[in-house]
Amino acid sequence: MTRLRIRDAAPADCDLIAQWMIAMAWETEHKRLDPPTVHAGVAAGLGDPAKARYFVAMREADTAGRETIAVPAGTLMLTREWSDWRNGEWWWIQSVYVGPEHRRQGVYDALHSHVAALAQADPAVIGLRLYVERENIAAQNTYRSQGMDESGYRIYESGF
């Protein structure tokens, strides 16, 4: 029998998370990212809680000898945004990735539920937000299944 355990990411997870971010950008947006830049970005996020907080979903199984084998199955990153309108923080779900062999097995649900429970337990948090590529219908359906609704905002950017 396998189960999912969610844990905080550690610096030792940097290589894997960076690989997953590169894979996610290609799968969802057909964007090729610069591996050294992504690795440095993940390392910066892991090293500074003001920048980000990463979580890793571990698929665990007991072997016949009662030893537990744990395999990383997916990740999620949180960032924070202050809202003066509501005098609280929005937690942004970002950089979600579930390994192909673990998809449609509840990995994202477990990550989302973990983060939602943390957010609901923190009186400074007013809600969860995320953004999703317009064409990523599967992800949109997953987020709706978690009780999330489209916010009505469009995101604009100016890259430098």
Side-chain angles (χ1 to χ4, degrees), residues 65-77:
R66 304 234 190 242
E67 181 182 355
T68 300
I69 302 294
V71 177
T75 189
L76 176 154
M77 179 184 78

Side-chain angles (χ1 to χ4, degrees), residues 18-53:
Q19 289 171 13
W20 280 347
M21 294 307 96
I22 291 165
M24 183 259 304
W26 179 250
E27 288 176 24
T28 61
E29 301 179 35
H30 285 87
K31 289 185 180 177
R32 292 202 188 278
L33 302 181
D34 178 60
T37 301
V38 174
H39 193 277
V42 171
L46 287 168
D48 184 354
K51 284 184 173 57
R53 184 174 180 190

Side-chain angles (χ1 to χ4, degrees), residues 66-106:
R66 304 234 190 242
E67 181 182 355
T68 300
I69 302 294
V71 177
T75 189
L76 176 154
M77 179 184 78
L78 282 181
T79 59
R80 300 183 326 232
E81 173 191 6
W82 179 252
S83 173
D84 54 355
W85 287 11
R86 297 196 176 134
N87 190 29
E89 287 183 345
W90 284 103
W91 280 5
W92 281 83
I93 295 172
Q94 299 183 63
S95 298
V96 173
Y97 189 79
V98 175
E101 65 277 19
H102 300 285
R103 293 179 185 164
R104 298 283 169 222
Q105 297 177 40

Side-chain angles (χ1 to χ4, degrees), residues 1-3 59-71:
M1 181 172 134
T2 66
R3 61 197 166 278
R59 182 167 301 287
E60 297 182 335
D62 295 327
T63 64
R66 304 234 190 242
E67 181 182 355
T68 300
I69 302 294
V71 177

